[in-house]
Amino acid sequence: MFSKFLPFVVIIFVTAGSFKEEQLKYPRVRQAYEDKGQSMAQLLEDNRLSKSKIELYIRAFKLEKELELWGRNRGDAQFKLIKTYAVCNTSGALGPKRKQGDLQIPEGFYHIDRFNPSSRYYLSLGINYPNKSDKVLGLKNHLGGDIFIHGYCVTIGCLPMTNEQIKELYIFCVEATNGGQSKVPVSIFPSRLTEGEFTRLSEKYGANSAKVALWTDLKKGYDIFNKTKQLPSVGFLSSGRHEVN
């Protein structure tokens, strides 16, 4: 979470086809295309993905400090892994973000809700924390905000990357939005929730029923995607728990 992101440039999702034009008005976005446009094109070609049809999904794993970019062509059922990026810094501990200033990186089901091409942290992609679950389970009126995937490799609650990495990820997201994807889903997990890892976490944090309950919900989504390469359906219950199918 960075209050220092202000002053803040918010680019709202606009009519498909014009979003990229608006983004290219900013020098860092133009530089990102100059530096990373070719590598993006090669990754798309290698995975038989079309720039005009691309739909993205992002998964992040806090313990492993990794962020995965998945993609598919509009109309396809399954996603393909495009690239895995390093999350180059971290803060807090395993577990969700529950209040402003706790240094926690959120955990849960989110999406990209804004682009900041003039960020103090180079380029940044906003995550819609707090989501409906966070608002139920977090500290009322003190939830914090301004959670981003961004550059400069510093954090007190965000997912930071190097500037070279954020250039590529950012323009991927520009292309998906420009092509008509209204939301890029982002799932943030405590770790890769294999059966063994989930058992380890459940035993280690067994006294913290709230954490284990969240991780139980997250594991459902993790397992569904790993098995089908399709996004799970996620609903938010009044208790703050999730209905995942």
Side-chain angles (χ1 to χ4, degrees):
M1 180 184 67
F2 280 100
S3 60
K4 293 183 179 179
F5 270 96
L6 301 174
F8 197 108
V9 178
V10 177
I11 304 299
I12 300 171
F13 292 151
V14 292
T15 305
S18 65
F19 183 81
K20 183 176 177 180
E21 294 175 7
E22 291 298 316
Q23 287 286 311
L24 285 170
K25 293 178 181 178
Y26 295 89
R28 289 178 186 170
V29 179
R30 294 196 298 271
Q31 188 67 51
Y33 270 95
E34 182 177 334
D35 294 347
K36 298 298 180 179
Q38 185 173 353
S39 64
M40 176 178 66
Q42 188 62 57
L43 287 166
L44 291 170
E45 181 180 346
D46 291 345
N47 288 282
R48 299 182 179 179
L49 297 170
S50 168
K51 186 166 64 173
S52 63
K53 298 179 181 179
I54 187 72
E55 294 180 341
L56 300 176
Y57 169 49
I58 294 171
R59 298 202 304 179
F61 303 95
K62 289 166 58 172
L63 183 64
E64 292 84 358
K65 296 202 294 187
E66 291 181 336
L67 185 149
E68 295 177 343
L69 178 66
W70 294 76
R72 68 182 178 189
N73 289 322
R74 192 177 308 112
D76 289 350
Q78 294 184 316
F79 283 86
K80 301 176 181 179
L81 179 62
I82 298 174
K83 189 168 182 176
T84 300
Y85 297 93
V87 175
C88 62
N89 208 335
T90 190
S91 66
L94 296 189
K97 182 174 183 62
R98 288 293 178 245
K99 63 181 180 180
Q100 184 173 2
D102 63 5
L103 305 183
Q104 287 293 100
I105 298 168
E107 294 175 10
F109 300 106
Y110 301 96
H111 62 264
I112 299 298
D113 66 352
R114 58 208 187 277
F115 291 66
N116 187 352
S118 299
S119 170
R120 290 188 63 176
Y121 299 89
Y122 200 72
L123 294 167
S124 58
L125 299 164
I127 295 171
N128 71 316
Y129 170 88
N131 64 18
K132 292 181 180 178
S133 175
D134 300 320
K135 290 175 182 177
V136 172
L137 298 174
L139 182 62
K140 302 298 184 289
N141 302 317
H142 296 282
L143 293 168
D146 288 355
I147 301 297
F148 291 84
I149 303 168
H150 62 68
Y152 283 170
C153 200
V154 293
T155 185
I156 53 171
C158 295
L159 291 166
M161 309 169 72
T162 65
N163 291 355
E164 292 304 304
Q165 289 176 317
I166 194 62
K167 286 177 186 177
E168 188 173 83
L169 181 63
Y170 192 95
I171 64 173
F172 262 109
C173 291
V174 168
E175 292 295 340
T177 302
N178 193 64
Q181 186 174 7
S182 60
K183 294 179 181 178
V184 175
V186 179
S187 299
I188 306 177
F189 299 95
S191 58
R192 294 185 180 275
L193 294 176
T194 62
E195 295 299 329
E197 174 65 2
F198 182 72
T199 297
R200 184 188 74 83
L201 290 177
S202 298
E203 292 175 352
K204 182 175 181 179
Y205 296 92
N208 192 324
S209 60
K211 276 188 180 182
V212 175
L214 172 62
W215 294 339
T216 299
D217 295 347
L218 291 179
K219 180 167 171 53
K220 291 178 183 178
Y222 176 86
D223 288 344
I224 289 170
F225 184 80
N226 279 357
K227 181 178 181 180
T228 67
K229 299 302 182 289
Q230 297 179 27
L231 294 176
S233 172
V234 178
F236 295 91
L237 304 177
S238 60
S239 64
R241 293 290 298 273
H242 305 77
E243 184 174 5
V244 184
N245 297 294

